[in-house]
Amino acid sequence: MYLALSPQHPIHQTTQYTSQIMKRRLKLITAPSIESMCRRTLFSASLLGDNCRTAKALKFDGSPTRPLTSSDVSNSANGPKLRVAYQGVPGAHSEAAARKAYPNCDAVPCEFFETAFDAVETKKVDCAVLPIENSLGGSIHRNYDLLLRHNLHIVGEVQHAVHHCLLALPGVNFGDIKRVLSHPQALAQCEHTLTKLLTNKGMVREAVDDTAGAAQFIFVNNIRDAAAIASTRAAELYGMNILAPDIQDDQDNITRFLMLAREPIMPRIEEPFKTSIVFSLEEGPGVLFKALAVFAMRDINLTKIESRPSKKRPLRICNDGNGVQSKYFDYLFYVDFMASMAEPNSRNALNHLKEFATFLRVLGSYPIDVNQA
């Protein structure tokens, strides 16, 4: 069974500690026109490069740290270093994706997805790398909603293969484990393997906010009857043993992350590009078919379509002409298509869509991640 922890549970409380592995206290950030898009200048060549450096805030070698506090989000950013926000704590899969997107960057942990968006908008970091969909768990709907709420631009994507490991403190064996802590999706993705590995009767699965956070909690509190599902990097950071590697039930577990920045990049045609948009339509028969046809008639391949109820007007009342009123959800449609906004076909398709769409926004036109996850 799964045990959802309450906010009063110790895992949700702030813990300060000093150890041989972590000699500094780590703080998370805490929350408080198509043509014009194509003409906008490149935000920074370094955003797609690899010349960023290791974050002082995350060093564990005893050198001065520079962690962000809750008040930092409202202040201006200092220094020229490229800082990349991600959700979670060091050792999270999101941190690995951030470092894959921007090698050697200042990876800055954030407590919530919205905190990462806010950190970019308020210039506390240069960009963010956040998950948008997983091959097993599907779309991360919260981030779709935040894309619309915030004025950030997608400047790239990265595919990250998720490998779950069963971690415990040194000296802890399978027979000692009475509970397993991890993110709900990680627990679900390892359910069958856990059942085979751990045969203790009454073993409890405890859902927490973050995979690496589960490992950190066990390490900080020296819990010897618990294990965590997390990454190999989390094991290294928190001095834990890997009892079993690659315990995910499905080995093809891929998460797609978006790279977000304050300014868009200039679309190009020399390399494969993807464009992400969001739009809404009037209610009526065949309207969605008509919207998708603007791409089909120009041989533009759609790779994803996601619908989300509109937050501003969730219900729409329609009259069928016979005096009968019906209520419908008012939807937003998120679409990815395989083309650059630098191509005339793409601009023509969106200009066509604008003729009958009630709302249209380009979220970004960016290079496709063609590297192996």
Side-chain angles (χ1 to χ4, degrees):
M1 66 178 178
Y2 294 100
L3 178 62
L5 302 183
S6 68
Q8 287 73 35
H9 193 280
I11 200 169
H12 294 291
Q13 300 175 0
T14 304
T15 307
Q16 299 178 359
Y17 60 93
T18 303
S19 71
Q20 293 180 350
I21 295 176
M22 297 179 127
K23 296 183 179 180
R24 293 286 176 182
R25 184 177 62 182
L26 178 68
K27 294 182 182 179
L28 299 181
I29 306 176
T30 54
S33 190
I34 299 165
E35 297 296 336
S36 62
M37 179 267 183
C38 293
R39 290 194 298 266
R40 298 189 72 168
T41 57
L42 185 65
F43 168 47
S44 171
S46 64
L47 280 181
L48 293 177
D50 59 0
N51 57 347
C52 41
R53 292 160 287 186
T54 304
K56 290 182 181 178
L58 302 182
K59 284 186 178 179
F60 304 113
D61 58 5
S63 58
T65 60
R66 185 167 56 87
L68 297 183
T69 65
S70 57
S71 61
D72 285 334
V73 175
S74 60
N75 300 324
S76 60
N78 296 313
K81 293 177 63 179
L82 184 68
R83 292 166 64 80
V84 181
Y86 68 93
Q87 189 276 325
V89 302
H93 293 292
S94 291
E95 184 200 19
R99 295 188 183 280
K100 184 177 182 179
Y102 301 103
N104 304 315
C105 67
D106 289 5
V108 181
C110 297
E111 187 174 5
F112 305 112
F113 290 134
E114 188 158 12
T115 313
F117 275 87
D118 290 338
V120 179
E121 285 190 329
T122 55
K123 301 183 180 180
K124 291 315 304 174
V125 296
D126 299 288
C127 49
V129 175
L130 298 172
I132 197 65
E133 61 181 335
N134 175 265
S135 58
L136 301 181
S139 298
I140 291 84
H141 296 128
R142 178 61 177 163
N143 284 337
Y144 272 107
D145 295 339
L146 290 172
L147 279 172
L148 191 62
R149 181 182 301 177
H150 294 264
N151 191 30
L152 298 183
H153 303 269
I154 305 173
V155 297
E157 66 175 4
V158 61
Q159 314 276 354
H160 175 67
V162 177
H163 297 282
H164 293 306
C165 300
L166 188 66
L167 313 181
L169 292 175
V172 174
N173 300 312
F174 286 110
D176 303 321
I177 298 172
K178 297 180 181 178
R179 51 184 174 142
V180 177
L181 286 65
S182 196
H183 187 276
Q185 282 201 7
L187 290 169
Q189 291 167 6
C190 304
E191 176 64 29
H192 296 302
T193 306
L194 280 179
T195 302
K196 294 177 182 178
L197 289 175
L198 304 175
T199 58
N200 295 348
K201 292 184 178 179
M203 186 190 68
V204 177
R205 294 158 174 80
E206 298 185 6
V208 297
D209 292 336
D210 185 80
T211 55
Q216 184 188 65
F217 174 73
I218 292 174
F219 164 70
V220 170
N221 294 281
N222 193 31
I223 302 173
R224 308 195 64 81
D225 66 347
I229 298 175
S231 66
T232 55
R233 175 165 167 77
E236 296 170 1
L237 287 176
Y238 306 116
M240 302 183 73
N241 285 345
I242 299 177
L243 296 181
D246 290 325
I247 62 170
Q248 60 273 9
D249 298 329
D250 191 330
Q251 297 302 312
D252 295 323
N253 187 357
I254 309 295
T255 299
R256 175 176 168 240
F257 290 79
L258 298 180
M259 300 152 65
L260 305 173
R262 288 182 292 277
E263 298 292 338
I265 62 171
M266 184 65 71
R268 300 187 298 276
I269 58 175
E270 305 86 43
E271 58 182 303
F273 258 61
K274 180 184 292 184
T275 299
S276 296
I277 64 172
V278 56
F279 62 90
S280 60
L281 302 166
E282 288 290 352
E283 177 64 31
V287 177
L288 180 57
F289 172 81
K290 183 179 178 181
L292 301 182
V294 306
F295 302 100
M297 67 176 57
R298 294 173 175 86
D299 293 323
I300 297 176
N301 182 32
L302 303 185
T303 59
K304 181 178 177 65
I305 180 168
E306 178 86 16
S307 62
R308 296 285 294 150
S310 173
K311 301 286 186 181
K312 293 183 178 179
R313 190 175 64 168
L315 281 178
R316 177 185 295 174
I317 300 177
C318 298
N319 196 319
D320 67 356
N322 297 317
V324 179
Q325 288 187 339
S326 300
K327 293 182 179 181
Y328 301 90
F329 275 117
D330 197 18
Y331 283 99
L332 292 165
F333 298 96
Y334 293 82
V335 168
D336 294 344
F337 61 86
M338 300 288 285
S340 168
M341 284 300 297
E343 301 175 38
N345 248 9
S346 299
R347 298 196 296 273
N348 291 338
L350 295 195
N351 283 326
H352 190 175
L353 180 59
K354 284 175 62 178
E355 294 177 5
F356 52 90
T358 57
F359 166 77
L360 173 61
R361 176 178 161 188
V362 177
L363 298 172
S365 190
Y366 48 94
I368 298 169
D369 181 14
V370 296
N371 298 316
Q372 187 175 4

